[in-house]
Amino acid sequence: MSQQKESVEVRNNFNLKNVSVELVPAGERRAAATFIAVADLEAMRTQRRAIPASKHGLETICGASCDTGAQ
Amino acid sequence: MSPGPRTSPAVSLVTSHGRQSLSWNGDERLIDLLNRHQVPWSALTVYVVPRSGGAPTIRPCLDQTAGDLQDAAELLLYFNRNVNPFLFSLTQAMTVASAEPERQATEYFYQRLDNASSTAESFLKKLSPDECRSVIAARVAETVREHLPANSHLVVGVSGGGDSNALLYALTQLKDHGLTLHPVIIKGIPDWDAGVPRAQELCRTYGLELTVMEELDVKELLGIPRDSASLIDRFQKEFEGDDFEFLGTLLVRLALFEKAQEMGTRFVCTGLNLEDVVTEAMFRVSTGLKPAPFPARVIGDMTLVMPLWLCPKRIIDGCFPKYSLENYDARYPCFSLGRNLYYSVVYTLQSQYPGFLEQMARGMSELSLKDPVTYSLDEQLGFHVERFVPFPLRRRFQRMVGRG
């Protein structure tokens, strides 16, 4: 059952190129509902953890061929 | 018989994440349309669907307008990789509520990346001078605590511009580290000379004694005869079309080292900011050189510290907006192609991907401090260099300083 669900998701993702989306969003002025402290924004800027290339860090295992997943 | 009304071909951006229609604007070229929507041209392959029917064919047409493409019913702009570059777009950034809306001096984009959900959220924060100063003071305090021993004497290079003011402000706010500051300004070119009254005013404000090094003493740092042509004339004569900043930074370093020696300390600092350190590191890495150590660099028996290394110029400028404007009015244009290139690359990265420059700075700093680059004294030149100076260049430099 779970296998069937997975294959449906894969097919749907593969077909995304034919689905209309707003990839390039129209610019609009949006105000944040909440106040964010400068210290929190600064932590976001200067202490953000480096983003791994793979969501689960698979480059540690597979990276000898290419860390960023090029085939 | 007059031609019928022209119809622009439809434009579809096709990615593995979805498809979107884009519209032409007047007589713009395809490249202009892409730039307007922030679509990277290098990531695309363009196919034309003919009006006459048949299969789409590949067409290099970035320089063409809708009018040039009358045979096309549709342009299919295929992304040539399966990534979604619009994830990081700033067009949907939220403006963060401000505590002091009437006192905004600058603004900066921040981005929160969440690896678990593969999402990015962007925020535009307007900052008051007080907020900018608190940011710079916090970043400077972190660097000083990590790289300077407590109770050090620190020689500080100042120019009288916004950066020096922010740097001096931040250093004087650090009360629990026992720093003693010795600000120094050098003279010799009109830009520098213009900063002296501002630097004097600043140092008075902070209760610091400013050392002003006159042009004659600056010339002596390189052994240039005191009664010879001005520094800038000598430089331009020998290195026409190049930027004085290169010689300028050397002179600042030599002046600070001389003052440090006189004060019996080995610590000096300058106002190199985030964009400066990343530009230098990008230049070095892209030309096959290891990043030079930062934010603390040992040169001979001196250590050059860069307390503003994680501070973007935009936030530095927000600390004292009036000083920044005066500083910009005194700017001389930069002509070196390379300096223009490396800085432009860095500004593009910083503008498109907020926070990424900081990630690069931290990563390259880590690399730079492992088995760091070393500098050796060049007896002939009289100062420390990293690598071999080719003979023709050495001869020109020697000629410039009057020893050729």
Side-chain angles (χ1 to χ4, degrees), chain B residues 55-366:
Chain B
T57 54
I58 201 163
R59 173 92 59 98
C61 55
L62 288 175
D63 58 343
Q64 294 187 321
T65 65
D68 298 330
L69 294 161
Q70 287 300 297
D71 62 323
E74 186 176 13
L75 297 187
L76 298 171
L77 313 179
Y78 272 91
F79 249 81
N80 52 28
R81 192 166 289 279
N82 56 356
V83 298
N84 177 4
F86 305 104
L87 260 180
F88 310 97
S89 168
L90 299 180
T91 52
Q92 296 272 293
M94 284 186 282
T95 301
V96 176
S98 182
E100 301 176 283
E102 71 290 347
R103 295 196 66 233
Q104 294 167 352
T106 190
E107 54 200 335
Y108 204 77
F109 278 105
Y110 290 84
Q111 203 161 58
R112 179 189 287 145
L113 302 188
D114 182 30
N115 186 51
S117 59
S118 296
T119 54
E121 279 179 291
S122 305
F123 305 97
L124 179 62
K125 171 66 181 163
K126 316 266 178 178
L127 295 152
S128 68
D130 286 343
E131 287 173 320
C132 292
R133 289 194 285 264
S134 77
V135 165
I136 302 302
R139 301 290 79 79
V140 167
E142 285 163 4
T143 303
V144 168
R145 287 200 177 97
E146 193 172 341
H147 295 281
L148 273 173
N151 305 314
S152 302
H153 282 251
L154 178 65
V155 174
V156 189
V158 297
S159 67
D163 294 17
S164 327
N165 202 350
L167 178 60
L168 282 181
Y169 168 81
L171 289 169
T172 52
Q173 296 308 296
L174 187 58
K175 306 287 186 200
D176 60 355
H177 204 65
L179 278 185
T180 306
L181 305 175
H182 304 280
V184 174
I185 188 165
I186 68 174
K187 292 175 77 174
I189 65 168
D191 302 26
W192 294 347
D193 299 357
V196 173
R198 291 197 301 270
Q200 283 166 330
E201 186 190 325
L202 279 180
C203 289
R204 262 196 305 276
T205 308
Y206 298 120
L208 299 169
E209 192 183 334
L210 176 70
T211 300
V212 181
M213 192 177 267
E214 297 296 332
E215 180 176 3
L216 295 181
D217 299 320
V218 173
K219 279 178 169 174
E220 216 153 72
L221 292 167
L222 288 174
I224 298 174
R226 293 173 76 93
D227 56 352
S228 63
S230 75
L231 278 170
I232 206 144
D233 288 347
R234 299 188 78 98
F235 179 79
Q236 283 182 344
K237 186 176 168 206
E238 203 57 53
F239 298 104
E240 192 190 345
D242 212 323
D243 298 318
F244 189 77
E245 277 88 346
F246 296 100
L247 182 63
T249 56
L250 169 67
L251 289 168
V252 168
R253 190 213 324 158
L254 297 180
L256 299 185
F257 282 8
E258 189 175 271
K259 179 69 180 175
Q261 234 156 14
E262 187 189 315
M263 303 304 302
T265 182
R266 60 190 178 91
F267 299 107
V268 308
C269 78
T270 61
L272 286 173
N273 61 34
L274 172 68
E275 295 86 344
D276 296 324
V277 296
V278 178
T279 299
E280 183 200 50
M282 291 274 276
F283 154 71
R284 290 183 59 92
V285 171
S286 64
T287 54
L289 298 167
K290 266 189 74 162
F294 68 93
R297 183 173 302 171
V298 175
I299 305 172
D301 50 5
M302 295 288 163
T303 299
L304 169 64
V305 184
M306 303 158 199
L308 297 176
W309 76 290
L310 279 175
C311 301
K313 179 75 170 147
R314 244 183 181 261
I315 300 182
I316 295 172
D317 276 354
C319 292
F320 300 97
K322 178 175 161 275
Y323 281 90
S324 304
L325 180 61
E326 286 175 8
N327 193 223
Y328 290 143
D329 279 341
R331 285 280 162 91
Y332 191 77
C334 158
F335 296 108
S336 282
L337 190 62
R339 190 165 179 270
N340 276 291
L341 172 66
Y342 299 114
Y343 269 101
S344 301
V345 167
V346 164
Y347 287 126
T348 303
L349 272 176
Q350 185 180 31
S351 295
Q352 300 278 326
Y353 305 97
F356 185 67
L357 217 55
E358 288 81 350
Q359 180 178 327
M360 282 192 78
R362 288 185 300 146
M364 291 202 282
S365 165
E366 228 172 275

Side-chain angles (χ1 to χ4, degrees), chain A residues 16-26 30-32 35-36 38 41-42 44-46 48 50-51 55, chain B residues 15-16 18-20 37 86 91-92 94-95 97 110-111 113 115-116 131 135 139 310 312 354 358-359 362:
Chain A
L16 265 177
K17 66 176 75 63
N18 297 314
V19 175
S20 271
V21 291
E22 203 186 339
L23 283 172
V24 189
R30 300 171 66 208
F35 178 83
I36 305 177
V38 173
L41 289 165
E42 277 291 292
M44 204 183 282
R45 184 176 75 81
T46 63
R48 183 171 93 189
I51 301 295
K55 179 169 182 168
Chain B
T15 82
S16 47
R19 162 190 293 253
Q20 180 171 355
H37 291 96
F86 305 104
T91 52
Q92 296 272 293
M94 284 186 282
T95 301
Y110 290 84
Q111 203 161 58
L113 302 188
N115 186 51
E131 287 173 320
V135 165
R139 301 290 79 79
L310 279 175
E358 288 81 350
Q359 180 178 327
R362 288 185 300 146

Side-chain angles (χ1 to χ4, degrees), chain B residues 383-400:
Chain B
F383 49 84
H384 284 76
V385 294
E386 175 196 350
R387 47 194 189 274
F388 174 73
V389 181
F391 184 66
L393 180 63
R394 177 184 294 270
R395 203 170 51 181
R396 284 176 78 181
F397 191 88
Q398 295 287 71
R399 224 171 19 228
M400 182 195 69

